[in-house]
């Protein structure tokens, strides 16, 4: 993980209990969405790497006449 991905952030939430609860709900929702985005990107990269590796194997086999 890059440095920008590992920096902790501290939030101070001020307001009524209802507003604080809503703010926390929204913050946690954003954190979960970001986590899901990063997981999807990691899966996509793994898939692309696998496709690329297979293409290299296929190309070598074609070039060698197998």
């Amino acid at each position: 993980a890059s440095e920008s991905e590992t920096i902790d952030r501290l939030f101070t939430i001020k307001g009524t209990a209802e507003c604080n609860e809503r703010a926390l709900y929204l913050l946690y929702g954003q954190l979960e969405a970001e986590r899901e985005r990063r997981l999807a990107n990691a899966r996509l990269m793994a898939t692309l790497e696998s496709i690329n590796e297979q293409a290299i194997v296929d190309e070598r086999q074609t070039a060698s006449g197998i």
Side-chain angles (χ1 to χ4, degrees):
S2 71
E3 184 178 330
S4 64
E5 295 173 351
T6 59
I7 295 174
D8 291 333
R9 293 181 175 89
L10 178 64
F11 291 89
T12 301
I13 301 173
K14 295 182 179 183
T16 65
E18 183 180 342
C19 289
N20 291 350
E21 186 176 323
R22 180 70 175 155
L24 285 172
Y25 173 81
L26 294 170
L27 284 169
Y28 283 119
Q30 288 298 310
L31 287 171
E32 181 63 19
E34 179 65 14
R35 185 185 71 81
E36 289 175 9
R37 184 189 68 81
R38 290 180 185 200
L39 287 172
N41 282 344
R43 286 191 298 267
L44 177 60
M45 287 301 298
T47 299
L48 291 174
E49 287 173 3
S50 177
I51 290 169
N52 188 47
E53 288 171 5
Q54 186 59 50
I56 290 169
V57 168
D58 292 347
E59 185 178 301
R60 288 181 181 159
Q61 288 176 345
T62 300
S64 67
I66 295 177

